[in-house]
Amino acid sequence: MRTGAVILALLAVFVRGALAQETFIAGPKAIADEKAVFATVESINVVPARARIGGTVAELAVKEGDHVSQGQVVGIVGDDKLVLQMKSLDAQIAGLDAQVAQAQSDLARAEDLFSKGTIPKTRVDEARTAFNVTSNAQRARVAERSVVEQQLSEGKVLAPTAGRVLKKPVTTGTVILPGEPVVAIAEQNFVLRLRVPERHARFLKAGDAVRIDGEELGASSAQFGTIRLVYPQIEDGRVIADAQVGGLGDYFVGERIRVWVSAGERTSTIVPSSFITTRFGIDYARVRKDGKTEIDVPVQRGRELPRPEMPDALEILSGLKAGDVLVRP
């Protein structure tokens, strides 16, 4: 008996769930008054990879559209003057090495003669001073050579961040100054940059939802995103905001996409479109009366308003009243 009661209870729950899925209670709801605006796919940051030294671009290792990682060599800038300066310092260091060896030999000889009482101590001090001066001059030239060597190594232009190469304003053989950009790199955190008329600025805030028609992104259904930042500066009568949306890709930058944003709230009736049928150009909703009788009621269809919790939401302008129980045809 107990097993039979359990089975009956499970059947009742299943029937109630099936009925709940096959019916929908209509009623006015507060919905976003959506307005269509155009947005562009942008990178949050476009960072230039700059040359640290001036010279001639000897090599460019990337082209537009290439993906680069942080620290990757994207180009090499050469300066012939640095090479000549390096050769000059090498020659000076070689000469100073010989002078240091000679000064060291003179100092050792002077110390030996002083120990035997042949020369005065002033001669030893003079030899030691000459050795110190020559040694310091040698170390100074070695340090200068290290500076030039570092400058030569800075001819490698490194990617400051990981991303995709957008522009390459120079070519091989171009003469550039220190700090000039060699390539522009877009970080791979793409967003939708919206430009909304300023009269809608008071309705726009971080965290609001935005809707994109599925075909805009090559999807079969509407896609949704969230506004992450509203910029405080108004440009040309438009408020700029960034929205985080999945599926934007990681290649094209500047692509224009139509986006639906909230411009306030209004009250309307929305139902799943699967509860509406069309016959001979007239839309009908099947309404259950008195819990038993079902009749088809003509309704006036509005526009589609997909929502995350109701992907096939449809606005009904007239024909239904609050509390009507719709039955899936």
Side-chain angles (χ1 to χ4, degrees), residues 38 62 132 257 298:
F38 276 100
V62 296
N132 291 336
I257 295 177

Side-chain angles (χ1 to χ4, degrees), residues 287-307:
V287 179
R288 179 174 295 166
K289 298 292 185 180
D290 302 328
K292 297 180 180 180
T293 309
E294 297 178 0
I295 61 173
D296 288 339
V297 177
V299 296
Q300 184 177 358
R301 176 194 295 259
R303 66 182 184 181
E304 297 179 354
L305 297 174
R307 315 170 83 180

